[in-house]
Amino acid sequence: MGITFLARMAMWGAIFGGGRDREGDGANPIALIATIILAPLAAALLQMALSRSREYEADRSGARLIGDGEPLARALAKLEQGARQIPMDVPPAQAQAYIVNPLTGRNFEFKSLFTTHPPTADRIARLRSREWQR
């Protein structure tokens, strides 16, 4: 949110005459475009990476709480299987609210690029490898 806020401040400042030097030359248009496009994209990618790491941390803390990762791994496998068999009609923006990716059964381009969930197979492998004990 902070990155996006700074990008918006820079954008509006450049639009309304900010960045002019003493000779009256305007701001660099390439820098303005880069700020408008790249800063929100960087913020979105950071948010997705944070969401993935939080999923792994939730799995780890759950396994520590019950003292075993196998029941959680089996539950994740069942949820994943259900999501593959019956794809949910969920807007992609709301997918992060689910335990497993509800868009698993849907096919669309670049679906793994902007996903907020780590692959369920990786989560199950981490739980079964007892990595959560470290």
Side-chain angles (χ1 to χ4, degrees):
M1 190 165 89
I3 295 171
T4 303
F5 176 75
L6 291 174
R8 295 288 178 193
M9 292 296 291
M11 177 188 75
W12 289 112
I15 288 173
F16 291 113
R20 296 192 185 275
D21 58 13
R22 291 181 185 199
E23 287 81 33
D25 293 334
N28 183 355
I30 294 175
L32 177 63
I33 291 170
T35 302
I36 292 171
I37 294 172
L38 295 180
L41 182 62
L45 290 175
L46 285 172
Q47 180 183 8
M48 285 180 262
L50 180 63
S51 177
R52 289 185 200 118
S53 67
R54 285 183 178 164
E55 291 282 340
Y56 286 130
E57 182 61 29
D59 293 343
R60 188 174 70 85
S61 63
R64 280 187 175 175
L65 180 67
I66 63 173
D68 188 13
E70 186 57 31
L72 295 174
R74 286 195 311 263
L76 281 173
K78 286 179 185 177
L79 289 170
E80 177 78 7
Q81 182 182 8
R84 286 190 187 281
Q85 288 177 354
I86 307 169
M88 294 183 232
D89 189 24
V90 175
Q94 295 178 354
Q96 65 186 3
Y98 291 80
I99 295 172
V100 296
N101 189 357
L103 307 175
T104 300
R106 291 169 132 183
N107 287 324
F108 54 92
E109 289 188 43
F110 308 112
K111 70 178 180 180
S112 64
L113 181 62
F114 294 107
T115 184
T116 58
H117 289 73
T120 307
D122 290 350
R123 293 172 67 187
I124 292 170
R126 284 183 176 206
L127 286 167
R128 289 187 171 151
S129 71
R130 304 185 75 78
E131 183 179 299
W132 52 268
Q133 288 180 326
R134 299 179 199 148

